[in-house]
Amino acid sequence: MERSHGVPFPIRCHTPSRSRLNGSAHNDEAKAGGTSPGIAIFIFGRKEYAYAAQHLALTLKEYSPNVPVHLWAGDGMPVDKSFYDEVHYLDPMWYEHGPGRLKLNAHDILPDGDWLYLDADTLCLSDIGPALDKLKAHDFALDVRGVGKEGDPIAYTPWATNATVRHVAELPEDASYFGVQTSWMWIRKPSKLCDRVFAAALSMGFDTEDLKEQWGGSIPDELCISAALSKINFTPFSLPISFYGTRGAYKTFNEVKANHPLACLYGDTRKHRLVASSWLDQYDRT
């Protein structure tokens, strides 16, 4: 489920001491040519996202200490640079139209290199290295939950009907439709494929009246990216990297860790609740 950076979520899991939560975002622009591949995290708005990003960085360093972690932080975010390999300033122009637009700008924001973008409300459960090795064979990847034609039942297409997507994206009748989750995205820059995907996504003219479900006044990036994939007729590489907290999916938390190097923590004060609380309880006990 997509997350809104304007709504707090429950941070329950060993949140770092507030004595370490100090400093402010680095004011230098992000520089191209950094260590590749790297982890990219974007934060703006509520301070809870800064604390979540620190928690994510801590877990990444625990299980994958050789993978560089980069943070892009917007104005006023409490940032302790010691948690990250590099901290960059996130210009407000990238997020002034909301979190969905921010993620559609990821390709423009990132320096050249191979990047695994992660939402801040993510945890690392085991070594991310093997997944990165598989992703290196591809220019673009994300979590594809379902694929089908217009009349097919397609997993995870909560934002708009396929008929609406066809109309807005001006798709042919035989187009394929995608259900995608963007809590992680693999982005190689420069690459012609990423140029095409993100340019097409940014060109989509959805408005809030097109949505089956409202999302904080913003257009969900998942909707735009799925429509872009339909527009360019491309099925991206996908891996089950992240666990989304489905109740009953596994018998034990060790099984979760054996199958997914990442876990999503999504849940907020609205009706959305993606992660079953029992998984958070088990994580707390590990």
Side-chain angles (χ1 to χ4, degrees), residues 7 15 19 73 93 110 149 166 171 180 190 219-220 260 265 284:
V7 180
T15 304
S19 65
M93 71 176 182
L110 293 172
K149 298 301 182 180
R166 175 166 55 84
L171 302 177
V180 301
I219 300 300
H260 307 278
L265 279 180
D284 285 343

Side-chain angles (χ1 to χ4, degrees), residues 98-178:
R101 191 74 175 189
L102 170 62
K103 289 168 73 170
L104 296 184
N105 287 324
H107 181 256
D108 290 331
I109 295 169
L110 293 172
D112 288 357
D114 287 353
W115 295 96
L116 180 62
Y117 165 84
L118 296 178
D119 280 351
D121 54 345
T122 303
L123 294 173
C124 184
L125 304 178
S126 60
D127 185 11
I128 196 70
L132 293 177
D133 289 339
K134 294 178 181 178
L135 291 168
K136 287 176 188 177
H138 304 272
D139 290 343
F140 177 74
L142 79 172
D143 195 343
V144 179
R145 312 298 290 175
V147 183
K149 298 301 182 180
E150 183 174 345
D152 296 337
I154 302 172
Y156 196 68
T157 53
W159 302 118
T161 65
N162 288 339
T164 297
V165 174
R166 175 166 55 84
H167 173 73
V168 172
E170 300 180 336
L171 302 177
E173 292 185 3
D174 63 346
S176 295
Y177 297 82
F178 299 85

Side-chain angles (χ1 to χ4, degrees), residues 187-257:
I187 299 170
R188 173 166 291 152
K189 184 178 178 180
S191 72
K192 291 182 179 179
L193 176 57
C194 282
D195 285 344
R196 292 179 66 205
V197 170
F198 285 95
L202 284 165
S203 74
M204 292 300 159
F206 292 102
D207 60 42
T208 55
E209 293 181 356
D210 294 320
L211 301 180
K212 292 191 295 184
E213 180 179 339
Q214 296 300 308
W215 190 59
S218 182
I219 300 300
D221 56 284
E222 291 174 343
L223 174 59
C224 295
I225 289 177
S226 64
L229 295 173
S230 298
K231 184 72 173 180
I232 68 173
N233 192 27
F234 176 73
T235 301
F237 180 69
S238 184
L239 282 176
I241 293 177
S242 187
F243 177 59
Y244 300 107
T246 307
R247 191 181 305 279
Y250 297 97
K251 292 182 179 179
T252 68
F253 193 66
N254 284 335
E255 289 183 36
V256 175
K257 295 167 66 175

